[in-house]
């Protein structure tokens, strides 16, 4: 870096500091010397205003308390240490520790780094940079990009010629690094780390996995039914806009690990994200949430998160269920019906047991083999049967207006429950029989017929609503909560079922 030397007869300050040459911390540190006399003066004291060279440099006053006429330091000869390499360097895979701190004896050597002492410990640079340190009992866990190791504290490991090892006390602050089995690390996502008890959770974006470090070593918990999901999501959080983040925390209220994978830019609510939880009691992922947190943490059995610089407490009874950051979203459950998998079937009805307020939003059978579309280059199509949406018990309720024979719904679009009746009959409870176009109820069990809504497939003669139910080897159904039935209230779904009959093998 080019520079000049200015000789002055009188000076009031020394400019001494190694700083970065650029705007970002990834730039290489260099010895910058002095940038010259500061250009701004406020209250008679020099102030550094020029930050074009990066981090503002430090100013050390040569006069006591910086006063203009105060006693100046002596200008006599001083001893300087000439280093062979005066440039600062960044050792991304090494640790350094200072002296001790003891509040009872008043010893505070946290700013003492004696050059003559062995105060560094280096990890294998082939495993990438050190991203996270976690102290546990008398050990320290070191998370590198491609490896997780355990460093002994105030003790060391001695190995015999036969390869056996034993641990002995030592005056070393950081002993030998002992790697955990498995080629796993924390990538560059230390924000995914969370701990509860002796269990540590984190993600490894390089391997597209979610991991748990416990007494039995490292376990790949993303393989519990979600291997393909995390392979795709972790592989896609980095975009052209920049690297994404993987935020992790432990929810003490539900006793679950929460992980939120967010594409860049992470503070844009329109970006793609997935937030879900892991439960150790079932070794599974029970919930997928609709909120995108900026930060998460637990305090005294309560789970909190930050969003847009505001703090929110989760699992609060003061707001409705499934309400996050002031916005309410529906809950949904997807199930697959696959009885007698070797036979083609017709699914004719759909039923469930639980609370009122559930509707069937989608229902589709398995797809056929892809057929070639003539006249189009490399065009193939796969068809399947689908059914109309089945409204919930409240949403599908209606009565017949005796004056004109027209059906009147209790919940027209954009209105609350019963407002359709109020507009027509001036009451929410007209004295006419209630009919249901969606689910009908019998002793807390809800059932409805399936109405086919499929377009004509290739070679198909009878299709759509002319057909009762949907055809296929299996069917995929998604149940969701509606907007009007006790918004934010409890809605349980105990079981779902369907009636079907065999299509005689075709």
């Amino acid at each position: 870096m080019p520079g000049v030397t200015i000789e002055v007869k009188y000076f009031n300050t020394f400019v001494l500091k190694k700083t970065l040459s650029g705007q970002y911390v990834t730039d290489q540190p260099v010895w910058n010397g002095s940038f010259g006399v500061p250009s701004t003066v406020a209250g008679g004291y020099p102030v550094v205003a020029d930050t074009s060279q990066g981090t503002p440099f430090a100013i050390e006053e040569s006069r006591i308390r910086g006063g203009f006429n105060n006693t100046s330091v002596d200008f006599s000869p001083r001893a300087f240490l000439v280093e062979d390499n005066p440039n600062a360097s960044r050792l991304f895979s090494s640790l350094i520790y200072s002296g001790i701190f003891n509040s009872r004896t008043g010893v505070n050597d946290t700013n003492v780094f004696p050059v003559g002492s062995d105060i560094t410990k280096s990890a294998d640079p082939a495993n990438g940079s050190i991203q996270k340190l976690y102290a546990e009992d008398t050990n320290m866990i070191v998370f590198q990009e491609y490896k997780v190791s355990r460093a002994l504290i105030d003790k060391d490991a001695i190995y015999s010629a036969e390869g056996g090892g034993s641990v002995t006390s030592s005056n070393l602050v950081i002993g030998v690094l002992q790697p955990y089995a498995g080629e796993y690390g924390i990538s560059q996502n230390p924000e995914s780390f969370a701990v509860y008890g002796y269990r540590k959770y984190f993600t490894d974006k390089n391997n597209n996995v979610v991991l748990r470090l416990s007494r039995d070593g490292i376990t790949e918990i993303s393989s519990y039914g979600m291997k393909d999901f995390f392979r795709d999501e972790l592989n896609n959080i980095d975009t052209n806009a920049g690297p994404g983040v993987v935020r992790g925390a432990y929810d003490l209220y539900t006793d679950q690990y929460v992980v939120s994978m967010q594409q860049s830019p992470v503070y844009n609510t329109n970006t793609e994200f997935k937030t879900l939880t892991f439960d150790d009691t079932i070794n599974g992922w029970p919930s997928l949430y609709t909120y995108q947190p900026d930060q998460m943490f637990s305090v005294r059995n309560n789970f909190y998160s930050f969003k847009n610089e505001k703090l929110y407490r989760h699992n609060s009874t003061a707001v409705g269920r499934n309400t996050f950051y002031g916005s309410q979203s529906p809950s949904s459950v997807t199930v697959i019906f696959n009885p007698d998998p070797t036979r083609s079937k017709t699914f004719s009805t759909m039923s469930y047991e639980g609370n009122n307020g559930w509707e069937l939003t989608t229902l589709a059978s398995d797809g056929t083999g892809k057929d070639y579309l003539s006249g189009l280059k490399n065009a193939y199509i796969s068809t399947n049967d689908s059914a109309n949406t089945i409204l919930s018990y409240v949403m599908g309720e209606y009565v017949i207006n005796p004056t004109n024979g027209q059906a009147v719904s209790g919940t027209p679009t954009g209105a609350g429950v019963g407002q359709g009746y109020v507009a027509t009959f001036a009451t929410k409870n007209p004295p006419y029989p209630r009919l249901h176009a969606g689910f009908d109820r019998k002793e807390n069990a809800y059932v409805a017929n399936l109405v086919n809504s499929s377009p004509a497939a290739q070679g198909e003669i009878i299709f759509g609503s002319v057909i009762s139910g949907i055809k296929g080897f299996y069917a995929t159904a998604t149940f969701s909560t509606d907007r009007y039935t006790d918004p934010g209230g409890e809605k349980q779904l105990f079981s779902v079922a369907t009636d079907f009959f065999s299509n005689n093998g075709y």
Side-chain angles (χ1 to χ4, degrees):
M1 184 178 68
V4 296
T5 302
I6 301 177
E7 296 184 0
V8 294
K9 184 176 181 180
Y10 169 81
F11 58 91
N12 191 49
T13 59
F14 302 105
V15 181
L16 301 170
K17 191 179 180 182
K18 289 182 180 181
T19 64
L20 299 182
S21 62
Q23 186 177 0
Y24 304 102
V25 295
T26 55
D27 295 340
Q28 292 298 320
V30 297
W31 175 258
N32 65 350
S34 172
F35 293 119
V37 180
S39 58
T40 304
V41 178
Y45 296 93
V47 177
V48 175
D50 183 9
T51 60
S52 61
Q53 298 294 330
T55 307
F57 49 83
I59 294 180
E60 178 184 353
E61 294 288 352
S62 64
R63 294 179 179 269
I64 297 177
R65 297 183 180 178
F68 183 77
N69 291 322
N70 289 354
T71 304
S72 175
V73 297
D74 192 3
F75 298 148
S76 60
R78 301 178 181 178
F80 292 93
L81 175 64
V82 179
E83 300 181 56
D84 295 334
N85 183 13
N87 293 342
S89 60
R90 183 178 293 110
L91 303 179
F92 58 85
S93 61
S94 298
L95 303 173
I96 186 171
Y97 51 88
S98 66
I100 65 172
F101 171 77
N102 191 325
S103 60
R104 293 186 299 175
T105 60
V107 176
N108 183 4
D109 290 338
T110 54
N111 64 335
V112 176
F113 297 88
V115 179
S117 302
D118 185 11
I119 58 174
T120 61
K121 177 66 65 173
S122 296
D124 188 352
N127 294 324
S129 62
I130 296 175
Q131 294 286 319
K132 176 74 177 178
L133 299 176
Y134 179 75
E136 183 180 49
D137 298 330
T138 59
N139 296 321
M140 181 173 62
I141 303 177
V142 180
F143 294 88
Q144 292 178 262
E145 295 181 50
Y146 307 104
K147 197 69 176 177
V148 181
S149 305
R150 179 182 59 186
L152 304 177
I153 300 177
D154 289 334
K155 55 185 182 295
D156 202 359
I158 299 178
Y159 296 94
S160 63
E162 292 79 14
S166 61
V167 177
T168 181
S169 59
S170 171
N171 59 354
L172 288 175
V173 176
I174 301 178
V176 67
L177 288 171
Q178 299 175 327
Y180 285 98
E183 298 302 318
Y184 297 111
I186 201 171
S187 299
Q188 292 186 2
N189 301 107
E191 72 277 2
S192 67
F193 179 83
V195 60
Y196 178 71
Y198 52 85
R199 302 189 299 268
K200 277 74 65 178
Y201 306 87
F202 56 98
T203 63
D204 185 358
K205 188 173 59 178
N206 295 323
N207 291 315
N208 298 326
V209 293
V210 184
L211 305 169
R212 177 184 62 201
L213 174 59
S214 188
R215 293 176 179 176
D216 57 351
I218 297 178
T219 303
E220 187 179 326
I221 60 176
S222 55
S223 63
Y224 294 135
M226 299 286 283
K227 189 177 185 66
D228 293 346
F229 174 84
F230 284 104
R231 177 196 62 198
D232 298 335
E233 294 299 327
L234 288 172
N235 193 51
N236 294 327
I237 63 171
D238 293 342
T239 63
N240 292 332
V245 299
V246 186
R247 306 197 188 281
Y250 198 87
D251 186 351
L252 293 178
Y253 186 90
T254 60
D255 200 22
Q256 295 174 345
Y257 170 61
V258 184
V259 59
S260 181
M261 298 167 289
Q262 306 173 14
Q263 287 186 354
S264 180
V266 296
Y267 295 106
N268 186 348
T269 56
N270 296 324
T271 57
E272 293 292 331
F273 72 94
K274 292 292 188 300
T275 303
L276 61 163
T277 58
F278 176 78
D279 193 336
D280 279 292
T281 59
I282 62 173
N283 269 344
W285 301 83
S287 298
L288 184 67
Y289 290 102
T290 57
Y291 66 93
Q292 181 185 8
D294 295 338
Q295 294 291 339
M296 300 179 291
F297 62 94
S298 290
V299 176
R300 299 186 65 179
N301 292 328
N302 287 318
F303 184 62
Y304 299 88
S305 70
F306 278 98
K307 185 62 178 178
N308 297 329
E309 301 180 355
K310 294 182 180 179
L311 179 63
Y312 295 87
R313 181 166 69 92
H314 293 239
N315 308 299
S316 173
T317 57
V319 296
R321 287 175 168 81
N322 230 16
T323 300
F324 300 104
Y325 311 140
S327 177
Q328 191 175 56
S329 303
S331 297
S332 62
V333 178
T334 300
V335 296
I336 298 177
F337 298 100
N338 192 22
D340 197 2
T342 61
R343 283 181 173 269
S344 177
K345 299 166 284 294
T346 296
F347 300 91
S348 55
T349 66
M350 186 64 60
S351 62
Y352 79 88
E353 294 183 21
N355 297 120
N356 184 18
W358 291 93
E359 59 185 5
L360 181 69
T361 55
T362 60
L363 177 67
S365 67
D366 56 297
T368 63
K370 291 186 177 181
D371 297 322
Y372 177 72
L373 292 178
S374 60
L376 298 176
K377 185 178 181 181
N378 297 328
Y380 292 85
I381 185 173
S382 176
T383 59
N384 65 305
D385 270 9
S386 59
N388 287 336
T389 298
I390 300 179
L391 300 176
S392 65
Y393 181 75
V394 170
M395 292 287 292
E397 181 183 282
Y398 69 97
V399 300
I400 301 298
N401 189 347
T403 60
N404 55 18
Q406 299 293 321
V408 179
S409 172
T411 57
T413 303
V417 175
Q419 293 304 309
Y421 297 152
V422 173
T424 304
F425 306 108
T427 177
K428 288 185 178 181
N429 297 293
Y432 306 112
R434 307 293 180 94
L435 305 176
H436 292 86
F439 281 109
D440 203 353
R441 181 170 62 191
K442 178 66 175 179
E443 296 178 353
N444 211 32
Y446 299 82
V447 64
N449 293 322
L450 295 176
V451 179
N452 194 297
S453 62
S454 306
Q458 185 174 355
E460 191 173 22
I461 300 175
I462 303 176
F463 57 89
S465 59
V466 179
I467 301 176
S468 175
I470 65 170
K471 306 183 301 295
F473 285 91
Y474 66 88
T476 303
T478 299
F479 288 80
S480 299
T481 55
D482 65 15
R483 296 174 296 168
Y484 294 123
T485 306
D486 187 19
E490 180 181 4
K491 295 182 178 67
Q492 296 185 5
L493 188 65
F494 299 118
S495 65
V496 295
T498 180
D499 289 332
F500 66 95
F501 57 88
S502 175
N503 292 333
N504 297 322
Y506 70 87

